[in-house]
């Protein structure tokens, strides 16, 4: 999170915790529980680090990070993407040359847009566009949002920080992803375009291709597939 101390420490800590995971086959429920447990471990480590900094006299120290996660799970009907986001980093899917945003930003401007107070175009220039409403590192643990997609509904999955989509629009991201056949090249070109557009924030992108699977003809509906913990996963009482 920009504007706070050691944001790179917080983001690296998240990577470390997820790197500890092995890769057993699991259902969407089990996968979601695994993601929540890992994010909670990240949160606890950040709180522990904050307590140590405060005890050492750095009373204003705070570090936090957003997170996006992509996990392949096995459910009835075949393998699926279990996707999770916390903050304003984003998850996109590319299918038949069309780029769609899967995740919903946890941000003030997203809430204003959902309430009909600002337009999508105004979100990009709003003076408080960098204010996020959920992240790791706050006083209490924030729950992520989950999304479940058939693996065959997306030829390419993209995870990126707001330093990418804040500098180049979705049309440009989609053009780059469509033109670049290699996922590594696609990720590098997306980041390069964000830097060349001004590079006002850290720009990170991960691109994952789905290969070797026949298309099922299933249609992705973002509202239908958006998963609440209470309704779909039963992870909360």
């Amino acid at each position: 999170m920009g504007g706070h101390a050691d944001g790179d420490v917080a983001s690296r800590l998240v990577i470390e915790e997820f790197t500890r995971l092995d890769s057993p086959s699991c259902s969407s429920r089990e996968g979601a529980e695994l993601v929540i447990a890992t994010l909670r471990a990240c949160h606890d480590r950040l709180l522990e680090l904050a307590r140590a900094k405060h005890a050492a006299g750095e009373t204003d120290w705070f570090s936090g990070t957003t997170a996006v996660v992509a996990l392949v799970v096995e459910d009835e009907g075949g393998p699926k993407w279990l996707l999770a986001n916390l903050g304003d980093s984003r998850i996109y899917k590319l299918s038949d040359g069309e780029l769609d945003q899967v995740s919903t930003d946890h941000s003030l401007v997203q809430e204003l847009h959902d309430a009909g107070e600002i337009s999508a175009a105004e979100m990009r220039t709003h003076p408080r566009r960098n204010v996020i409403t959920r992240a790791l590192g706050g006083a209490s643990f924030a729950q992520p949002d989950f999304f479940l997609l058939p693996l065959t509904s997306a030829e390419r999955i993209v995870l990126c920080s707001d330093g990418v989509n804040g500098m180049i629009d979705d049309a440009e991201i989609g053009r780059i992803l469509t033109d670049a056949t290699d996922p590594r090249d696609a990720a590098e070109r997306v980041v390069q375009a964000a830097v060349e557009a001004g590079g006002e924030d850290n720009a990170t992108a991960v691109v994952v291709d789905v290969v070797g699977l026949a298309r099922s003809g299933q249609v992705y509906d973002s509202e239908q597939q958006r998963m609440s913990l209470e309704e779909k996963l039963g992870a909360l009482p």
Side-chain angles (χ1 to χ4, degrees):
M1 286 167 52
H4 297 287
D6 298 332
D8 59 326
V9 173
S11 58
R12 186 167 62 246
L13 185 150
V14 174
I15 294 171
E16 288 176 0
E17 287 297 326
F18 275 94
T19 302
R20 299 176 194 273
L21 301 181
D22 53 17
S23 54
S25 176
C26 60
S27 67
S28 59
R29 176 194 291 269
E30 294 167 335
E33 292 172 349
L34 186 63
V35 169
I36 291 172
T38 305
L39 290 174
R40 190 177 292 277
C42 298
H43 177 77
D44 291 345
R45 285 184 62 185
L46 283 171
L47 289 186
E48 181 180 352
L49 183 57
R51 284 192 291 267
K53 292 285 188 178
H54 295 167
E58 298 181 49
T59 56
D60 294 331
W61 189 91
F62 172 81
S63 180
T65 184
T66 62
V68 279
V69 181
L71 186 68
V72 175
V73 296
E74 291 287 343
D75 265 351
E76 184 177 344
K80 292 183 173 65
W81 281 114
L82 178 68
L83 306 170
N85 80 293
L86 194 59
D88 61 354
S89 291
R90 288 186 179 178
I91 306 171
Y92 292 93
K93 77 177 187 74
L94 184 74
S95 184
D96 294 328
E98 294 292 328
L99 184 74
D100 293 307
Q101 182 179 338
V102 177
S103 60
T104 300
D105 295 351
H106 298 143
S107 65
L108 176 62
V109 291
Q110 183 67 56
E111 291 183 356
L112 292 173
H113 177 262
D114 292 345
E117 297 183 23
I118 62 174
S119 67
E122 290 172 323
M123 292 172 66
R124 297 186 61 83
T125 58
H126 194 280
R128 301 191 69 190
R129 61 188 179 276
N130 293 325
V131 177
I132 59 176
T133 55
R134 295 190 219 175
L136 288 169
S140 60
F141 177 69
Q143 295 284 355
D145 282 340
F146 285 91
F147 306 85
L148 193 64
L149 279 67
L151 205 64
T152 52
S153 71
E155 300 162 13
R156 181 168 276 183
I157 293 289
V158 183
L159 298 89
C160 67
S161 66
D162 68 322
V164 170
N165 57 268
M167 299 306 303
I168 56 177
D169 60 21
D170 288 2
E172 177 68 4
I173 295 173
R175 184 192 66 77
I176 295 171
L177 293 171
T178 301
D179 290 346
T181 57
D182 186 284
R184 292 166 297 185
D185 290 342
E188 290 175 359
R189 292 181 191 179
V190 164
V191 170
Q192 181 180 1
V195 172
E196 291 176 349
E200 296 177 359
D201 204 347
N202 293 330
T204 302
V206 175
V207 178
V208 182
D209 282 359
V210 178
V211 297
L213 291 172
R215 298 297 296 275
S216 65
Q218 293 169 292
V219 176
Y220 172 70
D221 183 321
S222 61
E223 290 302 318
Q224 181 179 356
Q225 291 294 341
R226 181 171 179 171
M227 301 173 65
S228 71
L229 296 175
E230 296 89 345
E231 295 176 0
K232 297 292 181 69
L233 301 175
L236 295 178

